[in-house]
Amino acid sequence: MSTPSKPASSEEILGQKYDRCLADLLVKAGVGFSVGVVASVILFRRRTWPIALSTGFGAGAAYADCDRSFNPARVPGTRIVSPSELASQPSK
């Protein structure tokens, strides 16, 4: 039999979101760094700017994902509906 689980506290949810954001940052910045190193060696005669640029792109993508995780109203195409608005809409 499964035991009923108690609801997660807000601190646990916030901690999980921060952990996910940090892991996402490390992965995306690491991939960007790797792509930058390869591009620097193969294409740009060992310059450093491709490494910094691609690492920044990875960190920026992770930041945008984290921002969407903490503020879902910023996801394009979504609208936050209050319960009173939902109740006042006629059913189809």
Side-chain angles (χ1 to χ4, degrees):
M1 289 189 167
S2 65
T3 60
S5 62
K6 63 180 182 178
S9 68
S10 61
E11 291 89 9
E12 290 175 5
I13 294 170
L14 190 63
Q16 288 173 353
K17 284 185 180 184
Y18 275 122
D19 290 344
R20 222 174 300 127
C21 286
L22 182 61
D24 194 34
L25 172 70
L26 291 175
V27 168
K28 288 186 179 177
V31 169
F33 181 80
S34 302
V35 168
V37 167
V38 169
S40 174
V41 169
I42 293 176
L43 300 174
F44 298 107
R45 294 182 294 162
R46 297 182 191 228
R47 306 271 188 222
T48 57
W49 65 266
I51 299 170
L53 183 68
S54 59
T55 304
F57 282 159
Y63 176 81
D65 289 345
C66 191
D67 188 40
R68 283 188 216 106
S69 170
F70 282 104
N71 189 1
R74 292 196 182 172
V75 176
T78 59
R79 188 173 75 109
I80 306 299
V81 180
S82 68
S84 62
E85 285 183 85
L86 193 59
S88 66
Q89 291 179 348
S91 62
K92 293 182 180 179

